[in-house]
């Protein structure tokens, strides 16, 4: 793996301004610290005995759009190799998919519904992974555009210069290095999403988001 990584030693990505959704992230653990209540509602699954389901509210104001519907469908379409079922309506702003045996719905207002979890920590882990997956579709407070446009600097407001990142120093860097060697965009996108989901911190994960513009059109 060492040799493969050495072929893509450095990536140049934007440095994002304070307040940009790519700086803030959608980390469930951080949201739970800020808003202890009204974030996570856990109930038994109606369809499967012994399993849990949860509603997770990423936004405080469910009347407002939290995700951009078009971007939501586009990015999940690129991640869909990892799903066993997938449908998305950009008009309705609803995505539904089955991922690692969990049934997931994402709504434009920032609500996630997660079904068939085994326990509370499974819910939290799944919610965190899902929020990383849909991060690029979240609307940014700075430019009011989806994060994907901040990542590609298309919004024109969220980047303050560039930074060089050494891929092999990132904790899940081998997934990114692998993605960059693949010719097939769909497969490459799958590995970029794995990197985004499996990176331990949002600061590492954002490197993958910064590359998504190349894979999501
Ligand atoms: Zn932004
Ligand atoms: Zn922006």
């Amino acid at each position: 793996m060492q040799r493969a990584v050495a072929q893509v030693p450095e990536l140049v990505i934007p440095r994002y301004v304070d307040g940009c959704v790519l700086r803030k992230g959608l980390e469930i653990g951080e949201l739970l610290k800020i808003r202890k209540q009204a974030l996570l509602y856990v109930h038994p699954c109606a369809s499967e005995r012994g399993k849990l389901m949860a509603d997770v509210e990423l936004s405080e104001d469910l009347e407002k759009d939290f995700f951009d519907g078009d971007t939501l469908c586009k990015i999940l379409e690129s991640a869909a190799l990892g799903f066993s079922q997938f449908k998305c309506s950009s008009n309705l702003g609803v995505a539904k998919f089955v991922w690692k045996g969990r049934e997931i719905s994402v709504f434009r207002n920032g609500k996630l519904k997660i079904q068939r979890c085994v326990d509370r920590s499974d819910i939290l882990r799944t919610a965190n992974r899902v929020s990383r997956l849909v991060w690029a579709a979240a609307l940014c407070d700075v430019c009011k555009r989806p994060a994907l446009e901040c990542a590609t600097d298309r919004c024109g407001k969220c980047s303050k210069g560039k930074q060089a990142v050494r891929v092999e120093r990132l904790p899940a860097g081998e997934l990114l290095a692998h993605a960059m060697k693949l010719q097939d965009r769909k497969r490459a996108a799958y590995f970029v999403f794995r990197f985004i989901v499996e990176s331990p911190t949002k600061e590492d994960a954002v490197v993958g988001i910064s590359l998504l513009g190349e894979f999501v059109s």
Side-chain angles (χ1 to χ4, degrees):
M1 213 62 218
Q2 198 59 43
R3 227 173 59 208
V5 172
Q7 293 169 0
V8 275
E10 215 170 68
L11 271 176
V12 178
I13 65 161
R15 209 181 274 284
Y16 302 106
V17 298
D18 287 339
C20 175
V21 66
L22 290 177
R23 275 288 282 278
K24 290 201 292 188
L26 309 179
E27 305 289 289
I28 303 296
E30 290 176 13
L31 289 172
L32 277 171
K33 274 183 231 155
I34 305 165
R35 291 158 47 210
K36 285 196 181 65
Q37 77 294 22
L39 173 65
L40 192 74
Y41 302 98
V42 181
H43 353 252
C45 264
S47 58
E48 217 176 325
R49 258 175 103 120
K51 295 276 174 82
L52 293 176
M53 61 177 282
D55 289 323
V56 182
E57 294 170 4
L58 296 174
S59 166
E60 263 175 302
D61 182 358
L62 294 178
E63 302 295 310
K64 257 181 25 192
D65 280 356
F66 183 82
F67 293 113
D68 175 68
D70 283 339
T71 313
L72 183 66
C73 291
K74 269 197 302 198
I75 58 159
L76 288 173
E77 180 72 43
S78 328
L81 267 190
F83 306 154
S84 50
Q85 287 173 35
F86 170 60
K87 54 184 179 183
C88 191
S89 160
S90 54
N91 284 339
L92 298 175
V94 184
K96 285 181 195 272
F97 51 98
V98 176
W99 189 31
K100 297 176 187 292
R102 317 291 184 263
E103 215 178 300
I104 293 148
S105 312
V106 180
F107 301 90
R108 187 160 54 188
N109 67 356
K111 203 169 110 173
L112 313 177
K113 186 183 274 297
I114 298 172
Q115 299 183 76
R116 293 198 240 145
C117 282
V118 293
D119 57 23
R120 216 183 149 83
S121 70
D122 184 23
I123 288 171
L124 281 174
R125 195 168 48 242
T126 305
N128 221 7
R129 295 170 73 92
V130 172
S131 68
R132 287 276 185 85
L133 206 56
V134 295
W135 189 8
L139 292 165
C140 176
D141 287 338
V142 174
C143 63
K144 317 294 177 202
R145 303 298 307 154
L148 188 63
E149 294 188 18
C150 307
T152 51
D153 208 7
R154 234 187 317 156
C155 72
K157 289 191 178 155
C158 292
S159 155
K160 50 168 184 184
K162 302 275 181 196
Q163 55 182 323
V165 178
R166 294 191 73 87
V167 173
E168 83 274 16
R169 293 216 183 124
L170 300 168
E174 73 277 11
L175 291 168
L176 209 52
H178 183 63
M180 293 169 76
K181 283 185 296 169
L182 294 172
Q183 299 294 319
D184 181 315
R185 272 163 54 113
K186 190 108 188 155
R187 278 192 60 73
Y190 168 76
F191 282 97
V192 174
F193 278 106
R194 275 193 55 194
F195 168 83
I196 292 168
V197 167
E198 291 175 26
S199 286
T201 68
K202 65 181 180 194
E203 289 78 12
D204 296 323
V206 81
V207 177
I209 303 275
S210 304
L211 288 184
L212 272 186
E214 293 179 28
F215 300 104
V216 180
S217 45

